[in-house]
Amino acid sequence: MASARLSYDVAVLGGGAAGLAAAVSAASQGARTLLIEKYGFLGGMATAGMVGTICGLYHNAIEGPPRPLNAGFPELVARRLAGLPGCQQPVRHGRVFVMPYSAFAFACLADQLTAERPSLDVWLHSYLVSARVEADRVEAVEVADGDRRREVSARAFVDATGDAVLSGLADVALDEAPPAARQLPSLVFAMQGVDQHQLGGGRTVGVLRHLAQAEAEGRLPPGSSNLALRLTGQPGEAIAKLALDGLHCGTADDMTIAEREGRRRVAAVARFLVENIPAFRNSFLSHTAPQVGVREGRRILGRYRLTREDVLLGRSFEDGLVRAAWPIELWEPRKTGASFEYLEDGASYQIPLRALRPPGLDNIFAAGRCLSASHEAAGSARVIGTCLAVGDAVGRIAAECAGGRTP
């Protein structure tokens, strides 16, 4: 039983990149907005997963400077983040640009951006419990925090939960790949005291070869060589991302297994690096990401389903909201590293509003990785830069919907 009942114009469920953007955008339109997040900080995978680089902000190109794909909130975040400690200007990685950042800086910026909007309330440590649907509308949700439950009604709702939690509670049809066919999760960890001079000039490849040999000889757990390693530019620091083959993230039980096994594997890899690789001889594992990084979960079956062909052919739509250009990036079981399918240089595709709207409900919108998309298309559209752009657009539309305008 809810202990209190509150009413807003727009309620955003999930405070990741998409939810943050949607909430700030809706509040900037004057809508009284509520942002609900389960963690004690905002940012989603950008912070809880310690992704470390924002992908999807810029056009792809073999040469030339970075060109932003979308104006508005994505540009605002990039500009302000670049000036914070531990963050950098965009850097080129082959045909794409990424923006390195620190998770703490992202969380602090999210706090600042939300605090600057007087009509925006933020509830951290709060969990979605249920949804009440009447006719063709979501009327209210129930939110828990500790021993308190509150009912929140709103004129428009944004599902930015990552796994379509609100949509599922509202009986929206969902698209869910079998666990074994989903993209691999990863666990990010940080090593301090690394001799960076011994890892420069592409010498991280040699480290990966040592890991692969140790895994083949049974000295490391299976999957230990599926590692990406980068120097951050901070003295003595290296960030590693270990893909977790054979582990799934569909349920809380799955996540529990993945978190515990992920830490076991990371500890084994870190120990091997310290004991066998000269550059790591005096280093130590300082911390892991707060949670396993999830690349793929449940998605809505929307009024349109974005496809691989839409991405690679650079399709536009009458109801296109934002542009995206990140390649189709897939981390697949039993494969080392990711595969990439690129758009042509300078090309981009649009994400249509229909891919963010479930059929049969007029006041709920999806944002972030739970959009309606095929497995391959989601491999492009799920990245942080695109989530910022989609959330920004959805927030504006949700505010308009709350004001009585039909999308």
Side-chain angles (χ1 to χ4, degrees):
M1 180 77 69
S3 60
R5 291 175 172 83
L6 300 97
S7 179
Y8 287 85
D9 296 322
V10 176
V12 180
L13 286 302
L20 168 67
V24 170
S25 177
S28 298
Q29 302 299 309
R32 187 161 179 264
T33 305
L34 173 64
L35 175 58
I36 298 166
E37 168 55 38
K38 67 180 180 179
Y39 282 120
F41 50 87
L42 300 172
M45 288 298 99
T47 48
M50 274 175 48
V51 173
T53 53
I54 299 181
C55 306
L57 287 172
Y58 306 101
H59 285 275
N60 302 338
I62 294 177
E63 57 185 11
R67 293 187 300 118
L69 278 160
N70 298 286
F73 193 72
E75 277 195 302
L76 172 66
V77 169
R79 183 175 68 253
R80 291 181 58 171
L81 199 58
L84 295 178
C87 303
Q88 301 174 35
Q89 296 291 336
V91 297
R92 176 184 290 280
H93 282 259
R95 297 169 59 181
V96 300
F97 290 93
V98 300
M99 183 175 180
Y101 71 94
S102 85
F104 183 73
F106 195 106
C108 290
L109 178 59
D111 289 339
Q112 295 167 14
L113 292 168
T114 51
E116 290 166 2
R117 273 67 184 179
S119 63
L120 172 57
D121 291 341
V122 177
W123 292 356
L124 301 178
H125 298 291
S126 299
Y127 299 81
L128 178 61
V129 175
S130 63
R132 176 160 55 85
V133 178
E134 296 179 8
D136 58 356
R137 298 177 62 82
V138 176
E139 293 293 337
V141 296
E142 189 175 18
V143 179
D145 57 57
D147 60 355
R148 179 176 57 172
R149 292 195 176 196
R150 292 181 278 187
E151 183 179 271
V152 176
S153 62
R155 294 188 175 96
F157 291 86
V158 177
D159 186 345
T161 58
D163 286 308
V165 176
L166 172 58
S167 300
L169 290 172
D171 291 328
V172 169
L174 300 179
D175 184 9
E176 189 171 11
R182 293 179 197 170
Q183 292 217 49
L184 297 179
S186 291
L187 185 56
V188 175
F189 62 99
M191 300 291 293
Q192 309 296 336
V194 177
D195 186 343
Q196 296 175 327
H197 296 293
Q198 295 193 55
L199 287 178
R203 278 173 280 188
T204 57
V205 175
V207 175
L208 301 182
R209 289 189 184 128
H210 281 291
L211 289 169
Q213 182 178 353
E215 181 184 341
E217 294 171 352
R219 293 186 288 140
L220 281 172
S224 295
S225 61
N226 203 351
L227 189 80
L229 187 65
R230 66 180 179 89
L231 303 177
T232 64
Q234 306 306 315
E237 184 176 71
I239 297 292
K241 177 172 60 181
L242 182 64
L244 302 175
D245 207 343
L247 299 175
H248 312 302
C249 297
T251 67
D253 290 342
D254 293 336
M255 286 293 291
T256 299
I257 294 169
E259 300 281 9
R260 298 176 72 177
E261 174 62 16
R263 283 190 290 270
R264 187 183 77 86
R265 294 183 189 179
V266 162
V269 169
R271 186 166 53 250
F272 177 86
L273 293 174
V274 171
E275 294 175 354
N276 295 276
I277 307 298
F280 291 87
R281 188 91 7 109
N282 297 311
S283 70
F284 66 97
L285 194 164
S286 60
H287 60 284
T288 68
Q291 77 151 80
V292 162
V294 180
R295 292 187 173 92
E296 183 175 11
R298 300 189 305 178
R299 298 182 289 272
I300 68 165
L301 283 172
R303 303 181 188 195
Y304 182 83
R305 189 170 184 257
L306 195 70
T307 68
R308 173 179 176 272
E309 290 72 24
D310 294 335
V311 173
L312 296 180
L313 296 177
R315 282 189 177 139
S316 296
F317 301 89
E318 289 185 4
D319 60 340
L321 292 181
V322 302
R323 303 213 73 90
W326 191 254
I328 294 175
E329 177 187 349
L330 299 178
W331 293 77
E332 298 175 287
R334 297 172 297 281
K335 293 184 179 179
T336 299
S339 65
F340 293 88
E341 283 190 281
Y342 291 87
L343 287 74
E344 293 185 5
D345 279 354
S348 63
Y349 64 95
Q350 286 186 312
I351 295 178
L353 175 58
R354 286 168 294 154
L356 311 175
R357 300 191 69 195
L361 292 174
D362 290 339
N363 70 331
I364 180 174
F365 306 89
R369 73 167 192 264
C370 60
L371 85 168
S372 181
S374 69
H375 168 74
E376 294 82 7
S380 167
R382 66 175 175 81
V383 295
I384 295 171
T386 305
C387 287
L388 290 171
V390 170
D392 187 25
V394 163
R396 289 194 302 271
I397 292 170
E400 293 172 358
C401 178
R405 180 177 172 184
T406 303

